[in-house]
Amino acid sequence: MGDRRYRIAVIGGDGIGPEVTDQALKSLDAVADRCGFSVDTNHYDLGGTRYLATGEVLPESVVEELASHDAVLIGAVGRPDVPPGILERGLLLKLRFDFDLYVNLRPVKLLPGVPTPITGLTPERCDILIARENTEGPYCDAGGVLRKGTPAEVAIQESLNTRFGVGRIVTFAFEQALLRRRRLTLCHKTNVLTYAGDLWNRTVHELSENYPHVEVDYVHVDAMCLYLVTSPERFDVVVTDNLFGDIITDLGAAVQGGMGLAASGNLNPERDYPSIFEPVHGSAPDIVGLGWANPVAAVLSVAMCLAHLGEGVAASIVEEAAAAVVPTMNSMGGPDMGATTEELGDRIAVAVAGA
Ligand code: IPM
Ligand code: MN
């Protein structure tokens, strides 16, 4: 073993979360062996099942323990019998905020051999990196309610946008564009959200002076939904606010072949806290235990984790192994995948281990 050693916290979570995470961990072990580093995993029992059993969502002591790791992997959390908001706010968003994970990085990349619902779309035309702001916007829990339950109820849900918060995600996006095709698109709704939109727009233009070789473009979020389907080749790196990013990355997942393929990283680029990597999909309680869950999104999230840890070669090996196995699948999830979740996890791990 080399002396590179990583401590990874694993939250399998609910539903298919633990199923896909187990498969992704096989590839992580295989690539560690192959590339000469070691990984210590610590499993944390968190999510809806733990909440229903104990009433606990995320104790502060666990937050502290998680913070001592090099990275965190999450499968999925959520159960139909847990009311909305409890796990989202209490676990996922709490960690994003507590760890200042201000980048939610979501690639939208069509892999060769993947059936996409967009007729005629080819991988060459679909390779996008969406940098979603992850600590501000309407996700801040700013707002309140008046006269609740009466016919005159008022609900206020505010969107917070700071020069600091917008500046750091836009800078991150420019840096990513430099590593890619050098094109940055701001996605917003500046024609209606004139206060926040103006802040975003001015920030992008001010910071663009530091990046004279990056071409800057703008698209309204509604038009983004259209272009993402009709002409994804317009985009290289896209920077956007928290809620727009949430919405357009689900559409992006559909374009790239489905939720079973969409990976994400919640990053703190300064490494003050561990970054968190998770598939974009949810816990899919309707298919739990059937072997129908596609583990590729979880595997690709491990690849993003490795890239963040500085293990670039290992990241490429895992990504390529997943890309090599995908064309052997009949569908990207469900009863007709052509193999079970576990068989696919094994196939990818074998490809990772290599010759
Ligand atoms: C996502 C999810 C989360 C979000 C929810 C579960 C809080 O939809 O990661 O995209 O809205 O960010
Ligand atoms: Mn979402």
Side-chain angles (χ1 to χ4, degrees), residues 15 64 69 81 137 160 170 228-229 320 340 346:
E64 266 173 48
H69 290 76
D81 46 359
L160 268 66
V170 168
L228 205 46
V229 169
E320 281 161 27
T340 64
D346 287 337

Side-chain angles (χ1 to χ4, degrees), residues 10-23:
V10 181
I11 303 170
D14 303 308
I16 61 165
E19 299 175 18
V20 295
T21 305
D22 284 351
Q23 303 316 313

Side-chain angles (χ1 to χ4, degrees), residues 88-89 92-93 96 104 106 132 134 139 242 246 249-250 278 280:
E88 291 84 350
R89 289 229 82 91
L92 296 174
L93 299 181
R96 291 179 191 175
N104 195 326
R106 297 187 161 185
R132 162 186 173 188
N134 212 29
Y139 277 70
N242 207 338
D246 179 45
T249 54
D250 265 33
E278 56 182 343
V280 178

Side-chain angles (χ1 to χ4, degrees), residues 6-13 40-47 50 57-75 77 90-96 98-99 101 271-277 309:
Y6 303 104
R7 293 183 66 241
I8 312 279
V10 181
I11 303 170
D40 299 323
T41 50
N42 294 313
H43 289 257
Y44 287 85
D45 171 25
L46 295 169
R50 159 94 179 258
V57 178
L58 181 61
E60 283 306 323
S61 60
V62 177
V63 177
E64 266 173 48
E65 278 183 47
L66 292 174
S68 73
H69 290 76
D70 295 305
V72 180
L73 299 177
I74 299 183
V77 297
L91 205 167
L92 296 174
L93 299 181
K94 180 172 167 55
L95 286 174
R96 291 179 191 175
D98 282 7
F99 289 175
L101 306 175
R271 290 154 211 279
D272 296 325
Y273 294 94
S275 293
I276 301 182
F277 300 85
L309 292 172

